[in-house]
Amino acid sequence: MNILANDAGLDGHDQLAALMSANIHPPIGETLEFVLIELERGRVVFEGSPTRKVFNPIGSVHGGYAATLLDSACGCAVHSSLPAGQGYTTLELKVAYHRALSDQSGPVRVEGKLVTLGRRVAFSEARLVDAQGRLCASATSTLLVFPIEPPNA
């Protein structure tokens, strides 16, 4: 799946909106069972329910689960603000874990927000809360913004 190649004429917000309306989920969302449920320019919300298949050896949800949701929210908040022909990649992700997740935590919600968007670099932040609204993890991200080559160029 490459939304940049399939919907190259759309801006980032409209690409994500097209995926949502078609009920298409990126492979990482299918693997970890989380979905994009809210979309605005500069703001996204993902939701998922951690299960035992994302547990670490000590019996709690692996930190990589939260980090993946936070990275997705930070990235898509930026993506939702990009003009057509622009892409992004994460340069840095800083995650802080505030509360352990378990299979009883869900559904969890992750809200990502754009902080600033420049010509080459963007900054975003995200917060992950459990079903009781308690903060479980947060992140800040630095992302590289770059032009996308048209398909078959």
Side-chain angles (χ1 to χ4, degrees), residues 1 25-35 46-47 53-54 64-65 67-69 71-73 76 88:
M1 165 185 293
H25 308 288
I28 189 67
E30 291 176 1
T31 299
L32 294 182
E33 300 177 1
F34 67 93
V35 296
F46 284 93
E47 187 173 85
K53 69 181 175 180
V54 296
Y65 175 83
T68 300
L69 270 68
D71 185 44
S72 296
C76 285
Y88 71 93

Tab-separated table of all heavy atoms in Angstrom, residues 1 25-35 46-47 53-54 64-65 67-69 71-73 76 88:
chain	number	residue	atom	x	y	z
A	1	MET	N	0.844	-1.169	0.000
A	1	MET	CA	0.000	0.000	0.000
A	1	MET	C	0.891	1.234	0.000
A	1	MET	O	1.773	1.373	0.825
A	1	MET	CB	-0.877	0.008	1.240
A	1	MET	CG	-1.524	1.362	1.492
A	1	MET	SD	-2.439	1.458	3.013
A	1	MET	CE	-3.744	0.344	2.642
A	25	HIS	N	-6.991	0.069	5.706
A	25	HIS	CA	-6.071	0.239	6.833
A	25	HIS	C	-4.669	-0.166	6.407
A	25	HIS	O	-4.481	-1.216	5.803
A	25	HIS	CB	-6.521	-0.595	8.025
A	25	HIS	CG	-7.939	-0.362	8.400
A	25	HIS	ND1	-8.361	0.796	9.005
A	25	HIS	CD2	-9.051	-1.106	8.207
A	25	HIS	CE1	-9.655	0.741	9.198
A	25	HIS	NE2	-10.107	-0.393	8.709
A	26	PRO	N	-3.665	0.651	6.747
A	26	PRO	CA	-2.281	0.265	6.429
A	26	PRO	C	-1.928	-1.053	7.119
A	26	PRO	O	-2.488	-1.391	8.166
A	26	PRO	CB	-1.453	1.417	6.985
A	26	PRO	CG	-2.402	2.543	7.168
A	26	PRO	CD	-3.741	1.942	7.415
A	27	PRO	N	-0.985	-1.807	6.556
A	27	PRO	CA	-0.612	-3.099	7.151
A	27	PRO	C	-0.221	-3.023	8.626
A	27	PRO	O	-0.563	-3.923	9.394
A	27	PRO	CB	0.555	-3.563	6.278
A	27	PRO	CG	0.279	-2.925	4.947
A	27	PRO	CD	-0.315	-1.576	5.269
A	28	ILE	N	0.469	-1.967	9.064
A	28	ILE	CA	0.850	-1.877	10.485
A	28	ILE	C	-0.390	-1.779	11.367
A	28	ILE	O	-0.436	-2.346	12.454
A	28	ILE	CB	1.845	-0.709	10.754
A	28	ILE	CG1	2.393	-0.790	12.184
A	28	ILE	CG2	1.192	0.653	10.519
A	28	ILE	CD1	3.266	-1.981	12.452
A	29	GLY	N	-1.411	-1.084	10.893
A	29	GLY	CA	-2.663	-1.003	11.649
A	29	GLY	C	-3.369	-2.340	11.729
A	29	GLY	O	-3.965	-2.683	12.755
A	30	GLU	N	-3.297	-3.108	10.641
A	30	GLU	CA	-3.886	-4.446	10.660
A	30	GLU	C	-3.124	-5.349	11.616
A	30	GLU	O	-3.711	-6.095	12.393
A	30	GLU	CB	-3.881	-5.045	9.255
A	30	GLU	CG	-4.829	-4.347	8.300
A	30	GLU	CD	-4.737	-4.894	6.883
A	30	GLU	OE1	-3.952	-5.843	6.636
A	30	GLU	OE2	-5.457	-4.367	6.015
A	31	THR	N	-1.795	-5.280	11.572
A	31	THR	CA	-0.963	-6.141	12.416
A	31	THR	C	-1.197	-5.862	13.897
A	31	THR	O	-1.364	-6.778	14.697
A	31	THR	CB	0.527	-5.949	12.074
A	31	THR	OG1	0.723	-6.307	10.707
A	31	THR	CG2	1.417	-6.800	12.964
A	32	LEU	N	-1.211	-4.586	14.271
A	32	LEU	CA	-1.365	-4.223	15.682
A	32	LEU	C	-2.796	-3.856	16.061
A	32	LEU	O	-3.057	-3.478	17.204
A	32	LEU	CB	-0.414	-3.070	16.042
A	32	LEU	CG	1.068	-3.410	15.968
A	32	LEU	CD1	1.922	-2.220	16.394
A	32	LEU	CD2	1.403	-4.626	16.816
A	33	GLU	N	-3.701	-3.968	15.102
A	33	GLU	CA	-5.137	-3.772	15.334
A	33	GLU	C	-5.461	-2.392	15.901
A	33	GLU	O	-6.079	-2.261	16.953
A	33	GLU	CB	-5.685	-4.887	16.223
A	33	GLU	CG	-5.511	-6.262	15.604
A	33	GLU	CD	-5.979	-7.397	16.494
A	33	GLU	OE1	-6.467	-7.154	17.611
A	33	GLU	OE2	-5.839	-8.546	16.066
A	34	PHE	N	-5.029	-1.349	15.173
A	34	PHE	CA	-5.450	0.009	15.513
A	34	PHE	C	-5.903	0.714	14.241
A	34	PHE	O	-5.482	0.366	13.149
A	34	PHE	CB	-4.362	0.790	16.261
A	34	PHE	CG	-3.122	1.106	15.456
A	34	PHE	CD1	-3.013	2.306	14.768
A	34	PHE	CD2	-2.047	0.224	15.424
A	34	PHE	CE1	-1.869	2.620	14.045
A	34	PHE	CE2	-0.901	0.524	14.711
A	34	PHE	CZ	-0.808	1.724	14.014
A	35	VAL	N	-6.814	1.682	14.405
A	35	VAL	CA	-7.403	2.361	13.251
A	35	VAL	C	-7.465	3.864	13.474
A	35	VAL	O	-7.552	4.347	14.614
A	35	VAL	CB	-8.829	1.840	12.930
A	35	VAL	CG1	-8.799	0.388	12.511
A	35	VAL	CG2	-9.768	2.031	14.098
A	46	PHE	N	-6.092	7.887	16.691
A	46	PHE	CA	-6.108	6.454	16.442
A	46	PHE	C	-6.697	5.762	17.665
A	46	PHE	O	-6.580	6.272	18.788
A	46	PHE	CB	-4.689	5.918	16.228
A	46	PHE	CG	-4.105	6.238	14.887
A	46	PHE	CD1	-3.327	7.365	14.709
A	46	PHE	CD2	-4.323	5.400	13.799
A	46	PHE	CE1	-2.778	7.660	13.477
A	46	PHE	CE2	-3.772	5.690	12.562
A	46	PHE	CZ	-3.007	6.819	12.393
A	47	GLU	N	-7.282	4.592	17.444
A	47	GLU	CA	-7.806	3.798	18.553
A	47	GLU	C	-7.421	2.343	18.349
A	47	GLU	O	-7.425	1.851	17.213
A	47	GLU	CB	-9.329	3.929	18.629
A	47	GLU	CG	-9.925	3.267	19.861
A	47	GLU	CD	-11.406	3.559	20.002
A	47	GLU	OE1	-12.204	2.825	19.381
A	47	GLU	OE2	-11.745	4.527	20.703
A	53	LYS	N	-1.208	-10.624	22.433
A	53	LYS	CA	-0.218	-10.858	21.377
A	53	LYS	C	0.809	-9.735	21.273
A	53	LYS	O	1.799	-9.878	20.569
A	53	LYS	CB	-0.888	-11.141	20.035
A	53	LYS	CG	-1.603	-10.024	19.394
A	53	LYS	CD	-2.204	-10.543	18.084
A	53	LYS	CE	-3.050	-9.517	17.419
A	53	LYS	NZ	-3.612	-10.032	16.181
A	54	VAL	N	0.623	-8.618	22.000
A	54	VAL	CA	1.639	-7.559	22.037
A	54	VAL	C	2.294	-7.471	23.415
A	54	VAL	O	2.908	-6.468	23.763
A	54	VAL	CB	1.069	-6.181	21.589
A	54	VAL	CG1	0.642	-6.229	20.139
A	54	VAL	CG2	-0.065	-5.711	22.483
A	64	GLY	N	6.936	-1.046	22.556
A	64	GLY	CA	6.890	-0.811	21.124
A	64	GLY	C	5.485	-0.625	20.594
A	64	GLY	O	5.278	0.054	19.583
A	65	TYR	N	4.494	-1.210	21.268
A	65	TYR	CA	3.095	-1.016	20.862
A	65	TYR	C	2.728	0.456	21.018
A	65	TYR	O	2.232	1.089	20.084
A	65	TYR	CB	2.180	-1.911	21.697
A	65	TYR	CG	0.704	-1.696	21.419
A	65	TYR	CD1	0.092	-2.325	20.350
A	65	TYR	CD2	-0.064	-0.877	22.235
A	65	TYR	CE1	-1.261	-2.136	20.082
A	65	TYR	CE2	-1.414	-0.685	21.980
A	65	TYR	CZ	-2.010	-1.318	20.902
A	65	TYR	OH	-3.359	-1.119	20.648
A	67	ALA	N	4.789	2.989	21.346
A	67	ALA	CA	5.652	3.790	20.485
A	67	ALA	C	5.146	3.790	19.040
A	67	ALA	O	5.182	4.821	18.367
A	67	ALA	CB	7.095	3.279	20.551
A	68	THR	N	4.682	2.652	18.563
A	68	THR	CA	4.163	2.576	17.191
A	68	THR	C	2.918	3.425	17.031
A	68	THR	O	2.780	4.161	16.041
A	68	THR	CB	3.874	1.113	16.801
A	68	THR	OG1	5.093	0.369	16.894
A	68	THR	CG2	3.308	1.017	15.404
A	69	LEU	N	1.999	3.360	17.983
A	69	LEU	CA	0.798	4.195	17.898
A	69	LEU	C	1.152	5.677	17.979
A	69	LEU	O	0.608	6.498	17.236
A	69	LEU	CB	-0.196	3.819	18.991
A	69	LEU	CG	-1.209	2.742	18.611
A	69	LEU	CD1	-0.558	1.393	18.428
A	69	LEU	CD2	-2.327	2.668	19.628
A	71	ASP	N	4.062	7.093	17.136
A	71	ASP	CA	4.750	7.456	15.898
A	71	ASP	C	3.746	7.632	14.762
A	71	ASP	O	3.854	8.571	13.965
A	71	ASP	CB	5.783	6.391	15.541
A	71	ASP	CG	6.625	6.752	14.331
A	71	ASP	OD1	7.083	7.913	14.232
A	71	ASP	OD2	6.842	5.875	13.482
A	72	SER	N	2.763	6.744	14.693
A	72	SER	CA	1.726	6.847	13.664
A	72	SER	C	0.930	8.135	13.827
A	72	SER	O	0.643	8.831	12.839
A	72	SER	CB	0.786	5.640	13.732
A	72	SER	OG	1.486	4.457	13.438
A	73	ALA	N	0.574	8.473	15.051
A	73	ALA	CA	-0.203	9.688	15.297
A	73	ALA	C	0.610	10.943	14.992
A	73	ALA	O	0.111	11.881	14.368
A	73	ALA	CB	-0.703	9.711	16.747
A	76	CYS	N	0.997	11.023	11.061
A	76	CYS	CA	-0.236	11.330	10.334
A	76	CYS	C	-0.743	12.741	10.626
A	76	CYS	O	-1.388	13.353	9.769
A	76	CYS	CB	-1.305	10.288	10.629
A	76	CYS	SG	-0.978	8.728	9.778
A	88	TYR	N	6.827	12.560	4.058
A	88	TYR	CA	7.554	12.789	5.307
A	88	TYR	C	8.157	11.477	5.781
A	88	TYR	O	7.745	10.391	5.375
A	88	TYR	CB	6.624	13.341	6.395
A	88	TYR	CG	5.656	12.299	6.887
A	88	TYR	CD1	5.958	11.506	7.997
A	88	TYR	CD2	4.470	12.043	6.211
A	88	TYR	CE1	5.095	10.515	8.417
A	88	TYR	CE2	3.601	11.058	6.620
A	88	TYR	CZ	3.915	10.300	7.726
A	88	TYR	OH	3.066	9.306	8.138
